[in-house]
Amino acid sequence: MRAGKAPHDVVAAEASFARNRSGVFGANVGNFLFTNAVYRTVNVPGAEVVVDSLETESNRVNERYISRINEEFDVFVLPLANAFRPQFLPWLDRLSGVIEKLTIPVVVVGVGAQLGFSGDYSGISEKTNASVSRFMRAVLDHSASVGVRGEITADYLHSLGFGTDQVDVIGCPSLYDNGRLLRIDKANDSPTRNARLALNVTPSISSMGKILMDTVEQYPNSVYVPQEHRELALLLWGQHVAGKLAEGVPRDITHPLYRQDRIRFFLDPATWRDYLSTCEFAFGNRIHGNIAALTAGTPAVLLSHDSRTLELARYHGIPYRPVPPAEERFDVSELYESADFAEFNRQSPENFDRYTRFLDANHIPHVYGQGLANPAYDRELSATQYPAPVGTLFASDRDALIGRVRWLWQGVESDQTRKVGAYKPPFAPQAQNAVDEIGLLQEEVRRLTARLEEHEGTLRYLRQPVEKRAVEGLKVRVNHLRKRGRRSA
C-alpha cells in the first residue's frame, strides 16, 4: 500500500522530519489521515498489509523492486490526494511506469485534480493531460475503476475520454474511519473569548495571515495547527521557513505565536484528533485539518481556495465558504453560527456505502465486510503510545527539548563530520585542493579495504567446522616442529 508509514508505527518527530527531506508523511502530515484510514480499512484478519514508504514513486525504483511487488503481493492499493497537478507529474509518471509493469491488481483510492476555485480544466497543459491519461490507462488495465475525490475531478477525467463506468466518485477515505454514522452536533452558543479554537492555514494564501493574527488576538486560547514539513522544521530547530508565505503566518522564531508557544504540529492522527476533540471550533484552508476536527466530533468550517478542497466539501457536505479577501472583516462568531451540518450528517451514511461498494467492485476485502472486522488491530492502535505534538523551542516541556538535543548529538563519530562551528587545528595535514582530497579519500578506501580483507580471512577460518580447524592447527604445528628439527640438524 502506498503510505509513508503504517498507523501503528511510532516515529519520533526528529526522524519524521528527516525522512526523505520532506518528512515521513510526504510534505504534509494531512496525508496520514487518508492513508491511515485506508490501511485500517484493508487490514482484515489474515491479511498482511505492507506500506511502500512512498518508495514506489521515487527515482530509486529498479526492476528488482517491481519484480518483488509482483512476486510477494496480491494487490497494490494506492491512496492518493491531489496527484493530478503539474508539480506532481514526475512522481505520477514514475508511478505509471511501475504500474505498467505490474501483473497484480492495482486499485487507486481517492485521487483528485488540483485546479482553481472555479474548477475550470480548460487551461491544463497537454503535458499534464498526457501524464494523467497514461496513469489512468495503466491503473484501469489492473482494476475495474478509479476512485476519485469529487465531481470536479470526475468531469476532468471524462473530458480526457474516461467513461462513467471507469470513474467512481468516493470522496476522501479519511471521513470513513469512524464508520458509517459520522455526525456533528453544534452547540447553540457561539465560541466565547476563552474558547479553545484550532486554526489551519495554507501559508501561501495572502489573506490567511491577517485572519490568523486577528483570531489569535481575539481568542487567547486559540492555537495554530500547521501541517507542512517546513513548518515542523521551524518548531523543532527554529529553522526559517523558506518559500512563499503570507504576511502574518509564522516564518521564524520571532513570531508572537512562536514566542507564546501557541503552535502545535501533530505527527499522528490519533493525537491530532485527541487534541481537536477538546476544542470548540476549527476552521481554515486545510481540508484535512478540518476533517481531523470533524472526525473528532468538533465542528469545522473550510475556507476553500481551490478545486481540491471545494469538491470534497461539496461531496461530503462540509460547511465551506471561499477564502475572504484581506480587506474584508472576518468574524469567527458569524462563521460558527452560519455553519450548518445537516447536509454533512445526511450524506455521511450514503457516502460510506458508496465507498464500500467501490472496494467490493474492485475485490478489496475490507473490515466493513461481513465477518471481516478486525477488533484486535483497533485495540493495538488504542494501546499505541504516539509522540506528543511538537511545540516551539519556547515550550515549558524541558523533556521534549532534551530529547531534541539527544537527537542532534548521536555520538562522537557523527560529530566528526560537522563543518559549522567545528574546531579546526591551526597546523595539521590538509588537502590542498580537490585532487588531493580525492587522493586522501582513495587512500582511506584502500586502507579500509585491506582491513576488511584481513577480517574476511579470519571469518573464513572461524566459519570452518571445529574438527577442520583442529586438523589445520595440527598441520601448522607439525610443520613448525619439522622446521625446528631441520634447523637443529
Side-chain angles (χ1 to χ4, degrees), residues 188-205:
N188 292 326
D189 297 330
S190 299
T192 64
R193 174 174 170 77
N194 293 322
R196 287 169 62 90
L197 306 182
L199 287 80
N200 53 83
V201 169
T202 300
S204 59
I205 298 178

Side-chain angles (χ1 to χ4, degrees), residues 13 57 85 135 177 191 210 251-252 355 385 454 488-489:
E57 63 216 53
R85 69 184 194 276
F135 177 80
D177 208 21
K210 182 176 185 301
R251 181 184 289 274
D252 54 42
Y355 175 58
Q385 297 296 312
E454 291 175 7
S488 299

Side-chain angles (χ1 to χ4, degrees), residues 99-100 102 104-106 135-144:
I99 295 169
E100 287 165 351
L102 293 182
I104 62 174
V106 177
F135 177 80
M136 288 291 294
R137 287 193 300 269
V139 174
L140 290 169
D141 282 343
H142 296 77
S143 62

